[in-house]
C-alpha cells in the first residue's frame, strides 16, 4: 500500500508542478526564445522542451533505473509508427484533395507548430506520461488510466471557439481522439510513434486544405476523418491477429488489471 501511495503522490505532484510551470512560464520562454532565434517554430519546440523538465524529473524519481526514451516509449520503431499512420490517414488525404482546395499561402513556421511540434509534445505529455505511465506501471485498467488525461486533453483544445455548440463538438471530438490515440499506442506494444504520426498527419491535412477553422469541422471533413479512424482500427486489429499477439485492452482490464504491464 505504501508503495502505491508513494507512486501516486510523486506522479500527481510532478504533474501539478509541470502544469503550473507550463501555465505561467511557457509563453515567457517562447517569447524569449523567439527573440533569441528569430523563429516561432524553434521557440515553440524549445518552450515545450523546457516545460517538459518536471515530467522528466518525475519519471526519473519514480523509475531511476529506466531510460527516459523507454519511459516516453520513444525507443520503439519510428518506421512502424509512421507507416501505420500514413496508411490509415490516406482516406483523409484523398478525400480532402477531392473536396477541398489547398490553402493559398502556407506559413511554414505555423505549420510546423500546429502539426509536428504539437503532435510530438502532446503525445509525450498526454499519451506517454499522463496516460501511459498509469497504464504501464500501475494496476489501473484502460478506462481508469485514460479518463483524466483525455478530459484534460479535450479541455486544452477549447480555445478554438467561443460558440457553445462548437465547444461541445470540439470537446467530444478531442476526448474521443485521445482515447483512440491511447488505444493505438497501447496496442502497438507501447509505440508512441504511431500516435505521434497519426496526430501529425490528421493535423497536417486539416491545415493544408481549407477544411475548417477548428477541429469541429464539417460534413466532408469529418466523414473522411471517420473513415481514417475506422481504417486505423482495422489495421491495428488485422496486424495483431496476423501476429497472434494478445490485445492489451480487453473487457477484463477496462478498470483494473491483474498485474502491471511494464513494457
Amino acid at each position: 500500500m505504501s508503495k502505491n501511495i508513494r507512486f501516486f503522490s510523486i506522479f500527481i505532484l510532478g504533474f501539478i508542478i509541470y502544469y503550473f510551470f507550463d501555465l505561467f512560464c511557457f509563453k515567457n520562454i517562447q517569447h524569449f526564445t523567439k527573440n533569441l532565434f528569430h523563429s516561432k517554430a524553434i521557440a515553440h519546440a524549445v518552450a515545450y522542451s523546457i516545460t517538459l523538465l518536471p515530467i522528466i524529473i518525475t519519471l526519473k524519481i519514480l523509475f531511476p533505473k529506466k531510460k527516459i526514451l523507454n519511459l516516453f516509449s520513444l525507443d520503439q520503431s519510428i518506421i512502424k509508427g509512421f507507416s501505420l499512420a500514413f496508411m490509415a490517414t490516406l482516406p483523409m488525404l484523398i478525400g480532402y484533395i477531392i473536396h477541398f482546395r489547398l490553402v493559398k499561402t502556407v506559413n511554414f513556421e505555423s505549420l510546423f507548430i500546429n502539426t509536428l511540434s504539437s503532435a510530438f509534445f502532446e503525445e509525450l505529455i498526454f499519451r506517454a506520461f499522463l496516460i501511459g505511465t498509469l497504464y504501464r506501471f500501475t494496476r489501473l485498467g484502460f478506462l481508469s488510466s485514460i479518463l483524466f488525461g483525455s478530459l484534460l486533453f479535450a479541455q486544452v483544445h477549447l480555445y478554438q471557439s467561443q460558440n457553445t455548440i462548437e465547444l461541445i463538438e470540439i470537446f467530444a471530438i478531442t476526448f474521443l481522439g485521445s482515447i483512440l490515440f491511447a488505444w493505438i499506442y497501447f496496442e502497438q506494444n507501447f509505440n508512441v510513434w504511431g500516435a505521434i504520426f497519426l496526430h501529425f498527419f490528421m493535423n497536417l491535412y486539416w491545415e493544408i486544405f481549407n477544411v475548417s477553422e477548428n477541429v469541429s469541422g464539417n460534413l466532408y471533413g469529418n466523414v473522411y476523418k471517420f473513415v481514417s479512424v475506422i481504417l486505423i482500427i482495422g489495421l491495428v486489429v488485422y496486424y495483431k491477429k496476423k501476429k497472434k499477439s494478445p490485445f492489451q485492452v480487453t473487457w477484463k482490464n477496462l478498470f483494473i488489471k491483474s498485474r502491471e504491464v511494464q513494457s
Side-chain angles (χ1 to χ4, degrees):
M1 181 64 71
S2 59
K3 180 182 176 182
N4 290 333
I5 293 174
R6 176 183 179 276
F7 176 92
F8 284 106
S9 298
I10 294 172
F11 181 82
I12 293 169
L13 179 61
F15 180 74
I16 290 173
I17 293 172
Y18 156 76
Y19 181 84
F20 285 103
F21 184 42
D22 177 81
L23 182 65
F24 294 114
C25 300
F26 187 94
K27 289 184 178 179
N28 291 331
I29 297 170
Q30 192 175 27
H31 180 73
F32 174 80
T33 313
K34 182 182 176 183
N35 291 334
L36 188 64
F37 294 104
H38 306 288
S39 169
K40 288 195 305 180
I42 294 176
H44 189 263
V46 170
Y48 252 129
S49 299
I50 292 175
T51 54
L52 203 65
L53 287 175
I55 287 178
I56 295 173
I57 293 170
T58 299
L59 288 173
K60 288 306 294 181
I61 292 173
L62 289 173
F63 312 103
K65 296 181 180 180
K66 287 185 175 289
K67 295 180 180 180
I68 285 297
L69 287 180
N70 174 265
L71 293 170
F72 279 122
S73 301
L74 291 170
D75 56 348
Q76 301 294 322
S77 172
I78 297 177
I79 296 175
K80 287 182 179 179
F82 177 90
S83 301
L84 177 68
F86 179 72
M87 286 189 293
T89 54
L90 279 176
M92 283 183 69
L93 176 59
I94 295 170
Y96 291 0
I97 288 174
I98 295 172
H99 286 100
F100 301 104
R101 293 181 179 180
L102 285 166
V103 294
K104 293 180 179 179
T105 57
V106 177
N107 183 314
F108 288 100
E109 286 201 309
S110 295
L111 186 65
F112 172 83
I113 291 170
N114 294 328
T115 57
L116 187 58
S117 184
S118 293
F120 179 78
F121 287 106
E122 285 180 9
E123 291 309 310
L124 291 192
I125 295 165
F126 290 97
R127 249 61 66 188
F129 174 72
L130 199 53
I131 294 174
T133 302
L134 292 178
Y135 187 80
R136 292 170 66 192
F137 302 108
T138 75
R139 290 185 59 193
L140 290 179
F142 181 68
L143 294 180
S144 308
S145 300
I146 67 172
L147 183 60
F148 176 71
S150 296
L151 288 171
L152 187 62
F153 182 72
Q155 183 271 325
V156 299
H157 287 83
L158 294 182
Y159 69 90
Q160 297 181 22
S161 178
Q162 299 296 320
N163 181 280
T164 302
I165 300 299
E166 286 189 345
L167 286 174
I168 294 172
E169 291 174 349
I170 291 168
F171 188 90
I173 290 170
T174 49
F175 178 77
L176 293 174
S178 176
I179 295 174
L180 173 68
F181 292 154
W183 180 79
I184 291 165
Y185 165 45
F186 293 169
E187 296 300 352
Q188 276 202 294
N189 297 320
F190 302 98
N191 184 347
V192 77
W193 291 109
I196 289 172
F197 283 117
L198 182 64
H199 197 156
F200 164 74
F201 282 121
M202 284 185 164
N203 283 8
L204 176 65
Y205 301 149
W206 205 265
E207 290 284 330
I208 63 176
F209 292 96
N210 281 307
V211 180
S212 174
E213 293 182 357
N214 57 56
V215 75
S216 65
N218 49 49
L219 177 61
Y220 286 120
N222 288 326
V223 163
Y224 291 113
K225 183 188 288 186
F226 181 73
V227 173
S228 286
V229 168
I230 296 300
L231 179 57
I232 194 165
I233 292 173
L235 287 172
V236 171
V237 171
Y238 170 77
Y239 286 123
K240 295 283 286 189
K241 289 187 175 180
K242 183 179 179 181
K243 294 181 179 179
K244 297 181 180 179
S245 177
F247 285 90
Q248 283 291 339
V249 180
T250 66
W251 292 109
K252 293 181 179 180
N253 65 7
L254 287 181
F255 298 99
I256 297 293
K257 299 192 303 293
S258 59
R259 60 183 178 81
E260 299 171 12
V261 179
Q262 297 196 16
S263 176

